[in-house]
Amino acid sequence: MNSDNAILSVSNLSVNYSAADGAVKAVENVSFKIKPGSTFALVGRSGCGKTTIALAILRLLNGQGKITGGNIIFDGVDLLSLAEKEMRKIRGAQISMIFQQPAASFNPVFTVGSQIAETIMLHQGKNKKDALADSVDLLKKVDIDQPEKIIRRYPHQLSGGMLQRVMIAIALCCRPKLLIADEPTSSLDVATEAGILDLLFRLQKDENISVLLITHNPGIVADRADYVAVMNKGSIVEQGETESILKNPSNSYTQSLINNVAGKINL
Amino acid sequence: MAAFVIKKIVFAITAIFGVMLITFLLFNCIGGDISYEYAGRNAGNETLDKIRKELGTDKPLLFFADSQFVNHIKNAATFNFGLSRDREDIGRKIRQGAKISLALTIPILLGTFVISIAAGLIMAYREKNLLSRIGNWLCIVGMSIPFLSFILLGQYYLAYKWKLFPVYFWPDLSPFQYLPLPIIIGIAAGAGFNIRFYKTIFRNEIESEYVRFAMARGVGPARILFKHVLKNAMMPIITRLVFSIPFLFMGSVLLEKFFGIPGLGSIVIDALSARDYKVLNAVVFLSAILVAVFTVIADICYAALDPRVNLEQGN
Amino acid sequence: MLRDGFLRRLRRQKIVAASLFVILFYLVVVLFIYTTEIFHLNTGIVKWDQVVGAEYERPSAKNILGTDYLGRSVLRKTLYGAKVSLTVALFASIISMAVGVSLGAAAGFFRGAFDYIVLWLNSVFASIPYILLVTAFALVLKDKTINLSSLGLGSIPVEGIAAVCIAIGLTGWVSTCRLVRAEVIRQKQFDYVRAAKSRGFSNLRILLRHILPNLSGLIIITFVIRFVYYIFAEVMLSFLGLGAKSQPSWGTMMDSARLGLTIPEAGWWEMLSATAAVFLIVFSVNCLGDFLKDFFAHRLRADSYEQ
Ligand SMILES: Nc1ncnc2c1ncn2[C@@H]1O[C@H](COP(=O)(O)OP(=O)(O)OP(=O)(O)O)[C@@H](O)[C@H]1O
Ligand SMILES: [Mg+2]
């Protein structure tokens, strides 16, 4: 991997959360690169800082979170030195993110249609009617039945799997260059999980999108990722091509992570 | 829908009944025989009997068709409140007082509402900003000063010493002359608490996941605040607003007392010190009815604002 | 509950430490007044009705806070006022918390008919304007005797401070009740309650030993908020002449200062002294309340990460 053709290059990233009784180092000195069109997986136990990295890339750490060092270069642009207004144009259009908890991520008092359309109107300057028509097409693309009806529903009227699909539709509506998928299937049953992942990676191939896939499940990594980085307590302990890492883990932490779910992986 | 409304109305009526029972027990049983007070120290038995007859306190308390409590309910239900101790029609007295009181309390409510929501929104959005932090401390300071001090010091300095406003109500003064100072004091005294109340509500919304997701979609701060956050914060805002409306007609007891404004607040205070229970009963009854009505209005607002609320099932 | 995290946070927030110090100071003053009164000690503070100078004397080296309309020391009255105000606020808080927490917890836990009755009582009390409710209670309770002879306890005269405590306490439980009820209903959904049930614990034991400890944060914070509220309520009642008349409180001081304000340049020092006395304690309690809110919110967050 050389930096010239990487779509995203993160170097020496550190993030702190401040609390009233001191600061928590959530991410320390993390570096990785993602090649265009590839899938890069970030794995690690719960609480190791995966979501924090994703939010740092989008500069969406709220209140207590602060980037204390490092660089994030996306498509040749230094994201950390960008003005907030420019950053806003990148969010949702060039980098989009699928959130971990779809049920909490939609605004409960607006229809899902209006939330898809809002994103389209914002980045493509379309009017509401066209944006809603586009929303229907997008929902068809993510295999939702009767999309004309669904766009008029409120988030609480949809199931977790449907919301996850709507989330994917929103993420893809502006043909982003990078998609961050933060545990896109954590709230779903195994059958639905496979369906959503198939959909996600089919669309990735169609549109040639790079994916940063965040998960705690090495099984998914083995099936879907080209490259993988293993995290423990805020740092990357090992990274490289998926096959070599999963077959010959040099780090004991990686080993234990794989052994935990060994039954599920068919290398 | 109909079942829900009927259930609500039944509950409201029983609550109004409860209010009347409590005030009745308070005044007529625990409060004791007030005919002595009415008659004065050396009144004879005859006078006392006459007063009791007039007040209706010669009748049995409860459990009879012609008992005091039954009459109490009957009179209230027909809005026939009788005469006050100074021999005025209570209904008319309340109407007149309420008009004056509303001229005082509606501007206070609206002013507090607008200022607190605007300041609360700004302070929630820019929580770490120096101005917000100063504002927050000022709010705590304001919350820690008693209303009485606000009134007395405001009246003393703004009106008495610096002569910016008239000190006292006078029938010749127009409302535009005597009302501004009490209104300003009312708003100032309530601002600290209210700003922090709304700030907390907005802050909770701003920290929620849907705001982060909207930002991740590239939505700008103005749209997030005024569309996404405001609509979600509407429920507690409406609750607070709707439940303060029923008490507006009562006016502000302390403000009216100090500025000599002859609103319902003054009438209530006078009635309290004169032990004129008929007036108090009437005011309490009216406020109970208003609370019941506005509770139903609040429920309708919830259903209109929040798609998750379903009137058929209750909440 | 007060593990090392509490002290560590306290050290970082100097204002909160200062607030605790102020609260402590007020408590010491009140306890001191009670001790001197009980043991009939001869100290200055309790002789608030002694004439120490001319009427409406300005603050000076001799009388630091000046004198009132009878020439009594404003400083002594202010300190003595702490006794009445804080006693009322404390006991009213205890009464209203006891009623509110027990009704709310029982209603939320047992639901059904009892819950309906409590909800009904709630809305009955919420329908009456607070100032009318509390003044009516105070008015009615004034100079009454509660007859407990049937319980073998003789009768307790309810006067002055006691009447105000009961009036404020019996009218202020509604919001506490509503908060506690909602929280108990929420807690009941959690697995630990189901686990306790499956182990065959009795309902009462589950409520008292398992659920209520989880409400400690809520209860402490509500207590602090009510306490502040009741200091204000006492001021208002005393001012309206429904409080303890025979002893000075901050409310009666404001009332007596008010008369002075109409005479040019007289009485503002008594007004300001009473206001400052209220302000200092309320400000401190408010700061402490904010700190506790943050502390318990943080604890909740930490707990939710742990699961
Ligand atoms: N707002 C916050 N304030 C303080 N600490 C936080 C905050 N958000 C996260 N943390 C801490 O930062 C660390 C990393 O959290 P993060 O959410 O990135 O973990 P994660 O790897 O995404 O975990 P999961 O798999 O459970 O989603 C955790 O230890 C967490 O306690
Ligand atoms: Mg995460």
Side-chain angles (χ1 to χ4, degrees), chain A residues 36-81:
Chain A
S38 70
T39 299
F40 187 98
L42 208 50
V43 278
R45 291 218 178 97
S46 182
C48 69
K50 306 182 297 288
T51 303
T52 306
I53 290 179
L55 294 172
I57 293 170
L58 282 169
R59 284 182 31 196
L60 284 179
L61 294 163
N62 59 12
Q64 306 90 346
K66 210 169 183 92
I67 297 174
T68 51
N71 269 318
I72 302 173
I73 312 288
F74 167 73
D75 207 12
V77 182
D78 180 2
L79 292 185
L80 296 186
S81 64

Side-chain angles (χ1 to χ4, degrees), chain B residues 150-208:
Chain B
F150 268 105
I151 299 177
L152 286 174
L153 295 174
Q155 197 178 26
Y156 182 64
Y157 285 105
L158 295 180
Y160 180 74
K161 283 195 91 168
W162 302 337
K163 309 213 173 350
L164 299 174
F165 300 95
V167 180
Y168 216 66
F169 169 84
W170 197 250
D172 300 340
L173 288 173
S174 91
F176 294 102
Q177 288 173 296
Y178 72 80
L179 280 181
L181 182 58
I183 289 174
I184 290 171
I185 291 176
I187 293 175
F193 179 84
N194 279 290
I195 291 174
R196 274 170 58 90
F197 176 84
Y198 290 118
K199 183 195 131 187
T200 310
I201 290 174
F202 292 134
R203 195 65 225 165
N204 280 341
E205 295 298 333
I206 288 173
E207 275 168 6
S208 62

